[in-house]
Amino acid sequence: MKQNKRETCGYTLNGVCIQVHNGMNDTGGVSDAITVLDGVSYIHERMCDLEFRVSLHSFFQVNVMAAERLYDLVANFIACQSRVTLFGKSFLSGYTFICCHKKIWKCCCYYICCGTGGIGLCIAKKAYPHVTKLIGLEIVEDAVKDAKFNAELNGITTAEFIAGPAEKTLTDVLTRLNEENNTEDKVAIVNPPRSGLHSSVLHRLRDEDIDKIVYVSCNPKSCMSDVLRLCLPLSSRQSGIPFKPVYAVACDLFPHTEHVEMVVCLVKCSDEDLDWCKLKETGKFKKSRFIQNKIQEAIQKEAKSI
């Protein structure tokens, strides 16, 4: 390919690749080999003053400007102490949430379904010095390679990325940190595919001493289902101390479509909340409906303020 054909219409062509897929669906799998016909099999993108290498199989937000606002929100949720206090107008209107702290709160952050490390690396920068360690978990090996490359590229030394299914790697990481007697607070960012989190991951999040979860979802329906399971009271099927939703925001990263990104901040129920979780008269279905209504009320309140 001639160089003069690479730079046309204001865009630069990095490479041309081909993938042969014999399946019935319209997307190629990770296991299907990719042949580079010309150039390279990745692109570079800038976000939050960081540079990212993105390979063909890796996920990355295409609406960069809106994604930066989304990451600002997640960073603020992470940096706030267990009870979130937010001031200011909606970040969708161009304002940033301000977090109040009585002291510097430090935590170890688990980033489940981390992709190329986009949210995590931005958090490592924006939420410093609150986030002292970032551990990213991702099933796509190419994405993990990109995440490690991106951390080194941007000089971020507090990040670690592990390849493998979250239901296995999360258990291994938590076991290792418990053996090391890590005393820092634990926070989890989850950014699953449209199908949501694996059931074993949900159980593990409840069973472990995790103080806060920031759930980022491209599918509000699966998000709602997972949040309900994280918040249901103790029972024979639900072990571990439940969480409670404290804030929810619908982020429009796809204008003029029906799709939105959902961000829900959950904190582990405290001692004063435990009686609320064990109210027998509510029942499982009514409790689920109550939590669902609370999340919907938060979304509606946010939408009215825009």
Side-chain angles (χ1 to χ4, degrees):
M1 183 182 295
K2 296 182 180 179
Q3 184 66 27
N4 61 353
K5 289 186 178 181
R6 290 181 180 271
E7 300 179 0
T8 59
C9 303
Y11 293 91
T12 300
L13 182 62
N14 280 16
V16 178
C17 306
I18 186 172
Q19 181 184 40
V20 178
H21 175 60
N22 294 317
M24 297 297 293
N25 57 329
D26 59 355
T27 57
V30 177
S31 59
D32 295 327
I34 294 176
T35 302
V36 180
L37 301 181
D38 187 81
V40 294
S41 61
Y42 56 83
I43 62 171
H44 282 85
E45 184 64 86
R46 289 198 64 83
M47 181 182 291
C48 301
D49 296 325
L50 300 176
E51 185 173 353
F52 294 90
R53 185 184 74 179
V54 185
S55 298
L56 291 178
H57 283 139
S58 303
F59 173 81
F60 198 83
Q61 292 287 357
V62 295
N63 190 342
V64 174
M65 294 182 65
E68 287 180 332
R69 299 295 180 86
L70 171 66
Y71 294 178
D72 279 340
L73 177 66
V74 176
N76 276 276
F77 281 156
I78 292 296
C80 284
Q81 287 182 277
S82 59
R83 294 194 178 278
V84 179
T85 304
L86 300 170
F87 298 91
K89 296 183 180 179
S90 167
F91 77 104
L92 295 174
S93 300
Y95 292 82
T96 302
F97 287 102
I98 303 171
C99 302
C100 288
H101 315 278
K102 293 183 178 180
K103 63 179 181 178
I104 297 298
W105 179 63
K106 296 185 178 182
C107 67
C108 177
C109 183
Y110 306 101
Y111 183 12
I112 302 170
C113 306
C114 67
T116 58
I119 295 180
L121 294 177
C122 291
I123 296 303
K125 177 182 178 181
K126 289 179 175 293
Y128 180 84
H130 305 286
V131 177
T132 59
K133 179 70 174 179
L134 172 72
I135 302 177
L137 310 176
E138 171 60 47
I139 194 171
V140 180
E141 293 188 5
D142 285 347
V144 172
K145 293 178 182 178
D146 284 342
K148 292 179 179 179
F149 179 89
N150 293 331
E152 183 177 356
L153 179 65
N154 292 284
I156 298 175
T157 59
T158 57
E160 174 187 358
F161 296 96
I162 302 172
E167 54 269 25
K168 180 180 184 301
T169 53
L170 179 61
T171 298
D172 295 342
V173 167
L174 290 172
T175 301
R176 169 164 59 91
L177 292 180
N178 289 336
E179 292 174 351
E180 295 173 358
N181 294 320
N182 189 297
T183 59
E184 291 182 338
D185 291 324
K186 300 180 180 68
V187 174
I189 303 172
V190 296
N191 187 19
R194 296 190 63 81
S195 57
L197 289 172
H198 193 279
S199 59
S200 63
V201 175
L202 294 170
H203 284 296
R204 191 72 189 196
L205 290 172
R206 285 181 59 121
D207 290 338
E208 288 296 327
D209 185 23
I210 293 178
D211 302 274
K212 182 190 302 180
I213 298 175
V214 179
Y215 195 121
V216 183
S217 174
C218 58
N219 184 1
K221 290 184 179 180
S222 62
C223 174
M224 188 72 66
S225 175
D226 287 348
V227 168
L228 290 178
R229 295 184 64 179
L230 289 169
C231 296
L232 285 172
L234 291 166
S235 67
S236 59
R237 299 182 61 184
Q238 299 291 340
S239 61
I241 298 176
F243 291 84
K244 63 178 181 180
V246 294
Y247 210 82
V249 179
C251 306
D252 188 8
L253 268 65
F254 314 102
H256 310 296
T257 73
E258 61 181 5
H259 302 290
V260 295
E261 289 281 318
M262 188 73 189
V263 184
V264 181
C265 183
L266 306 104
V267 297
K268 187 66 71 73
C269 288
S270 61
D271 291 339
E272 63 186 37
D273 298 314
L274 292 179
D275 289 340
W276 176 84
C277 295
K278 294 180 179 178
L279 289 175
K280 296 181 179 179
E281 61 269 20
T282 57
K284 181 177 179 181
F285 174 78
K286 291 183 180 180
K287 176 66 67 176
S288 302
R289 180 60 61 185
F290 176 81
I291 297 171
Q292 184 177 12
N293 290 341
K294 283 295 183 183
I295 296 175
Q296 291 177 344
E297 288 173 6
I299 297 172
Q300 292 171 359
K301 182 179 179 181
E302 178 65 24
K304 291 179 180 179
S305 66
I306 299 175

